[in-house]
Amino acid sequence: MHVSHLSLADFRSYARVEVPLDPGVTAFVGPNGQGKTNLVEAVGYLATLGSHRVSSDAPLVRMGAERAVIRAAVTQGERRQLVELELNPGRANRARINRSSQVKPRDVLGIVRTVLFAPEDLALVKGDPGERRRFLDELVTARSPRMAAVRSDYERVLKQRNTLLKSAAMARRHGGRSLDLSTLDVWDQHLARTGAELLAQRLDLIATLLPLADKAYEQLAPGGGPLGMVYRPTSLAGAAGEAVDSGAARTREALYDVLLGALEEARKQEIERGVTLVGPHRDDALLSLGELPAKGYASHGESWSYALALRLASYELLRSEGSEPVLVLDDVFAELDARRRERLAELVAGGEQVLVTAAVDDDVPGVLAGARYGVSGGEVTRW
């Protein structure tokens, strides 16, 4: 699978730009702040309905414009599709596939699949649990686009449940009459049902991904492993926060029962604090290197190698389960030493489509020969 044409209107710094793309390697080269990352960010948005740089859509719309449009022609074998997303901050986004407007934005998931390497990836190792949850959930959705609806349902139920808990907490603190919390049982069931599905997918993903990540790390930094990754839940262990074996077989019904029981056990504390304390939204994946936790113990270079190994493993997993994803390397090589730069380039050079951004052409390893675009002042010009 590859993107054969990218069109942007009022997206980030671009009033309008048209970029034809070929299979193989394409590098966007130019000084920082000229819009290189904006191009690959748009491709990534089509794959995930989100940006790897910001948490909301508003910054993606060009200053002074009301909306932004991302449009891409996607080729998979003999099949060609045109996918379009219209970003409307504060209102519902809109989507079109092959010019049909009768689709929801999440219907485009799976048409474009990407694995993106970026400087922000260091947060997978050094950052807070939310970074690792996002990594897992985006990969879960890439494997199974239907999970976008499950994640959306979970977030909706969580919001409703938190609203009820907050109201109960406020009433208690101010000495008012107690709220009727009978509906909390219903929200618990909904949260446990969608949460169990998300938990099952995360646990399966970790069990599948870890061997691939360990192999990739050995390729990047021979003799430096092994890698470890275990799930730390707020609901599945005997004591909250205890790590569990992601490879252990658990049915969704069993996960539902455990999560429902954990919610019941935590209810008193949740009412006091006015927030949901149990569920996938508070879980973490513990990363280790050798016998030590990666966070706090891994060096800068080891942390980079770990993050790259997770992305390489993601690429191998998606490629083995369907069409090959587009590889995006956003200003990564400038962050790496010469050894890791060359090894990473050698590992990804054979990808069906590889999109690279770099400040100078010398930052792109020679093995990644291919098309070059200069990016400057809002103009994208093929060299």
Side-chain angles (χ1 to χ4, degrees):
M1 184 273 297
H2 67 275
V3 176
S4 55
H5 193 95
L6 178 67
S7 174
L8 304 178
D10 292 324
F11 182 86
R12 287 286 196 180
S13 58
Y14 293 102
R16 185 170 298 276
V17 67
E18 305 284 339
V19 185
L21 295 168
D22 301 321
V25 177
T26 298
F28 300 101
V29 181
N32 292 332
Q34 299 301 302
K36 305 183 302 296
T37 293
N38 299 347
L39 298 170
V40 296
E41 181 182 28
V43 176
Y45 194 101
L46 292 173
T48 64
L49 301 185
S51 164
H52 69 287
R53 303 159 75 193
V54 292
S55 59
S56 68
D57 288 347
L60 305 180
V61 179
R62 189 173 64 91
M63 184 69 69
E66 293 184 358
R67 64 184 63 85
V69 175
I70 307 170
R71 184 182 299 111
V74 183
T75 301
Q76 182 174 349
E78 299 299 319
R79 187 182 185 189
R80 182 181 171 92
Q81 295 187 83
L82 183 66
V83 57
E84 178 181 313
L85 285 173
E86 181 182 284
L87 282 55
N88 299 293
R91 295 175 290 127
N93 291 342
R94 301 171 63 185
R96 302 174 72 189
I97 300 174
N98 295 330
R99 304 198 182 280
S100 171
S101 59
Q102 303 302 312
V103 298
K104 299 176 181 178
R106 68 184 181 215
D107 291 334
V108 310
L109 292 172
I111 297 176
V112 177
R113 300 204 300 176
T114 63
V115 172
L116 184 144
F117 300 72
E120 292 83 357
D121 285 346
L122 202 59
L124 293 177
V125 180
K126 294 188 172 185
D128 62 34
E131 299 289 346
R132 290 176 286 279
R133 289 195 298 267
R134 177 180 173 180
F135 166 74
L136 293 175
D137 290 346
E138 287 187 351
L139 188 49
V140 158
T141 304
R143 297 178 78 191
S144 178
R146 71 174 183 84
M147 287 301 298
V150 175
R151 292 169 59 190
S152 178
D153 287 346
Y154 182 85
E155 290 166 4
R156 176 182 56 82
V157 172
L158 179 64
K159 183 178 180 180
Q160 295 285 353
R161 191 176 187 274
N162 280 340
T163 298
L164 182 58
L165 289 170
K166 184 176 180 180
S167 297
M170 292 293 290
R172 172 172 292 193
R173 289 169 190 163
H174 292 87
R177 64 182 181 85
S178 298
L179 293 180
D180 180 7
L181 295 177
S182 59
T183 57
L184 198 55
D185 289 335
V186 177
W187 290 122
D188 284 1
Q189 293 169 19
H190 287 316
L191 193 76
R193 183 65 63 192
T194 53
E197 180 67 22
L198 187 53
L199 281 172
Q201 293 283 346
R202 286 181 182 177
L203 291 168
D204 175 70
L205 173 61
I206 289 175
T208 306
L209 191 68
L210 181 57
L212 298 174
D214 195 49
K215 178 181 177 181
Y217 190 89
E218 178 63 23
Q219 292 172 315
L220 289 166
L227 303 189
M229 186 188 309
V230 294
Y231 198 72
R232 185 172 69 181
T234 52
S235 56
L236 299 184
E242 178 185 342
V244 298
D245 179 11
S246 59
R250 290 183 178 85
T251 66
R252 281 156 178 75
E253 284 303 316
L255 292 172
Y256 169 81
D257 290 340
V258 172
L259 187 50
L260 195 62
L263 287 167
E264 181 179 352
E265 184 177 343
R267 177 171 294 192
K268 181 179 179 181
Q269 187 179 5
E270 288 182 333
I271 292 174
E272 291 174 351
R273 296 180 58 178
V275 67
T276 302
L277 300 174
V278 172
H281 64 288
R282 296 180 68 91
D283 295 351
D284 194 4
L286 301 178
L287 307 181
S288 60
L289 182 60
E291 297 182 354
L292 296 174
K295 184 176 182 179
Y297 289 88
S299 68
H300 184 75
E302 289 171 334
S303 296
W304 253 116
S305 294
Y306 205 131
L308 293 173
L310 290 174
R311 293 300 187 188
L312 286 169
S314 303
Y315 170 67
E316 291 298 331
L317 178 60
L318 293 177
R319 185 166 66 168
S320 69
E321 295 182 343
S323 61
E324 185 169 329
V326 177
L327 282 168
V328 179
L329 292 85
D330 180 23
D331 203 25
V332 168
F333 292 114
E335 301 284 339
L336 303 177
D337 59 37
R339 184 189 64 173
R340 289 184 175 88
R341 181 184 301 188
E342 293 301 324
R343 285 183 175 165
L344 176 60
E346 290 169 1
L347 290 171
V348 305
E352 181 176 347
Q353 186 169 51
V354 183
L355 305 180
V356 182
T357 70
V360 295
D361 197 40
D362 287 345
D363 282 347
V364 184
V367 70
L368 295 179
R372 293 289 190 273
Y373 283 90
V375 182
S376 179
E379 298 291 329
V380 182
T381 307
R382 188 157 186 166
W383 292 351

